[in-house]
Amino acid sequence: MKKAAGLFRSLMRTSIKSARQGVAVNKLMTAMLTPTVKPAPPRRKVRAKPAASLAKPVRSTARPAPAPSSITTAPGKWLTSHVEGANGHRMSFWLYLPHNIPDEASTPGLPLIVMLHGCQQTATQFAQGTRMNQWAERKGYAVLYPQQLVSNQAQRCWKWYDRATQEGGGDVPTIVAMIDKVAGAYAIDRARVYVAGISAGAGMANIVALNHPHLFAAVGLHSGPAFGAGHSTMGALGVMQHGAGLRADLAVQEVLARHGRFPGMPTILIAGEGDSVVRPINLAQLARQGLVLNGLAPDAPAKITHKAQGSNARHNAHRIDDFYDGRKLLLRVARIDALDHAWSGGDPALKFNAKSGPDATRMMLEFFARHRRV
């Protein structure tokens, strides 16, 4: 508990200056991330069209963005732009457009994944750590990376614990505006928009999806906190360590009441059994929330798959629980042994990424491919 409290204070120091109790600052989240050059993964041969052919005749303010060399191994376009937030501040975002588009992805447009980084990460670091651009190139996805402002939160944490944000305020409208801007400038398939994140970014991804359920076809949450509780920085620490308590069920009922006829939200949850920052109770509560949001019974049976540890520990042992409505997979819960607070199968050159798999990016893309919003 002392270690996690020190970590959280280092992330939230601007909001809890009065809580100086001599707890040592945990340096886990303060090291600078150094990009390294990685070879591009082997690429499948597909019948392809240039991404430029999908551009709409709409004037875009996006411009080419410099990127770490490991990001530029993906051959598509790497662009940056911004939107004006409700507070008048400009929030930047980065956009990856794949170079080669499989024929089946070219009409009516590209699927889009919105990726929300964690605390002490930038958009480009998150792109590099997850290797999402390389996977998006293979599968024909566009990827949008919003970046939290240091003027909003000094450690770039999304304020998932804030009550107003949970109810659809805060940075939620700004992120939605980014999606609208990208979809207005490029041919994006609005039936295949997905949102994902890690840690605070997972908490924020969940909030954006639950407040705009008709916008997103599915959501992916890695190492995320339970939804609907916290409501202060110290309250957020309690959620990270002990879950949302009674709020776990109440918050979901509030979401359903606000929307009247909630359309469901297919969800993939991924977390490490060794995570001491956002403890596994959050995964259990997110799973329970996911069952309710997708109209499944709390005691719905799961199809359980156990995966053994891979050779040379390249893959951690893990368990996957799949929940179906008929033949449709609505909720996937992956519990990964020996994984701490890090993206599974990420680029180990960057912190908050674990070298050993399973590859969380691949798992999310495979889950997203099953879903479209109708």
Side-chain angles (χ1 to χ4, degrees):
M1 181 66 180
K2 182 178 179 181
K3 178 181 177 181
L7 170 61
F8 191 77
R9 289 190 183 94
S10 73
L11 302 183
M12 304 296 188
R13 64 170 70 95
T14 58
S15 301
I16 55 171
K17 292 182 179 178
S18 61
R20 296 175 181 173
Q21 301 174 350
V23 180
V25 176
N26 189 316
K27 294 184 179 179
L28 175 64
M29 295 297 225
T30 59
M32 294 301 294
L33 306 184
T34 305
T36 59
V37 177
K38 294 279 185 179
R43 296 175 54 205
R44 295 185 310 173
K45 292 184 177 180
V46 296
R47 295 176 61 193
K49 297 181 179 181
S53 68
L54 295 178
K56 293 180 179 180
V58 177
R59 185 170 178 264
S60 173
T61 59
R63 63 183 186 278
S69 54
S70 61
I71 293 179
T72 58
T73 57
K77 292 183 179 179
W78 184 234
L79 308 172
T80 186
S81 188
H82 65 271
V83 296
E84 300 288 343
N87 56 7
H89 295 163
R90 289 185 172 187
M91 183 176 286
S92 296
F93 66 84
W94 279 255
L95 176 66
Y96 183 77
L97 295 173
H99 177 67
N100 291 321
I101 313 300
D103 281 347
E104 61 270 20
S106 62
T107 304
L110 292 171
L112 175 69
I113 303 175
V114 183
M115 291 283 285
L116 299 179
H117 61 77
C119 296
Q120 285 291 333
Q121 286 183 316
T122 64
T124 55
Q125 290 163 352
F126 193 40
Q128 180 180 349
T130 61
R131 301 190 181 96
M132 181 59 81
N133 291 355
Q134 287 87 340
W135 277 102
E137 180 65 32
R138 295 183 187 185
K139 302 293 186 180
Y141 282 72
V143 193
L144 172 63
Y145 299 89
Q147 182 168 282
Q148 174 63 298
L149 291 159
V150 292
S151 58
N152 285 353
Q153 212 293 323
Q155 309 305 316
R156 295 196 190 277
C157 300
W158 301 100
K159 296 182 180 179
W160 59 269
Y161 52 87
D162 181 69
R163 186 188 296 272
T165 300
Q166 292 173 4
E167 294 176 353
D171 292 322
V172 174
T174 306
I175 294 170
V176 172
M178 290 180 183
I179 298 170
D180 290 340
K181 182 172 183 175
V182 169
Y186 303 95
I188 299 298
D189 183 356
R190 296 301 293 256
R192 293 185 294 164
V193 178
Y194 312 94
V195 61
I198 185 172
S199 192
M204 193 67 185
N206 203 15
I207 288 169
V208 176
L210 296 185
N211 279 281
H212 296 272
H214 294 281
L215 176 58
F216 298 100
V219 62
L221 311 178
H222 197 311
S223 309
F227 168 74
H231 303 158
S232 69
T233 51
M234 293 308 294
L237 173 60
V239 174
M240 292 160 65
Q241 291 295 294
H242 306 295
L246 295 176
R247 285 291 303 162
D249 296 322
L250 291 173
V252 168
Q253 294 304 323
E254 291 167 1
V255 168
L256 296 178
R258 285 203 304 272
H259 290 284
R261 191 168 182 269
F262 191 80
M265 185 53 62
T267 303
I268 178 171
L269 304 171
I270 303 172
E273 293 288 272
D275 192 339
S276 62
V277 177
V278 179
R279 293 187 181 275
I281 188 173
N282 288 274
L283 180 69
Q285 291 183 348
L286 283 170
R288 191 165 78 236
Q289 291 176 332
L291 289 171
V292 175
L293 290 165
N294 286 290
L296 300 172
D299 59 350
K303 178 183 177 182
I304 299 174
T305 305
H306 291 276
K307 301 283 188 177
Q309 181 176 350
S311 60
N312 300 321
R314 293 180 61 185
H315 295 276
N316 289 318
H318 56 284
R319 166 179 164 168
I320 296 176
D321 289 31
D322 286 334
F323 297 88
Y324 289 84
D325 180 10
R327 299 177 64 180
K328 187 174 183 179
L329 176 62
L330 294 178
L331 177 65
R332 171 165 285 176
V333 183
R335 299 172 173 87
I336 303 175
D337 293 352
L339 176 68
D340 57 16
H341 196 64
W343 190 274
S344 182
D347 184 345
L350 301 175
K351 290 193 174 182
F352 327 123
N353 291 276
K355 180 179 180 179
S356 295
D359 190 320
T361 303
R362 179 176 183 174
M363 292 173 70
M364 287 192 180
L365 282 169
E366 290 176 347
F367 182 83
F368 292 160
R370 294 170 173 261
H371 299 282
R372 64 174 57 236
R373 183 58 74 195
V374 295

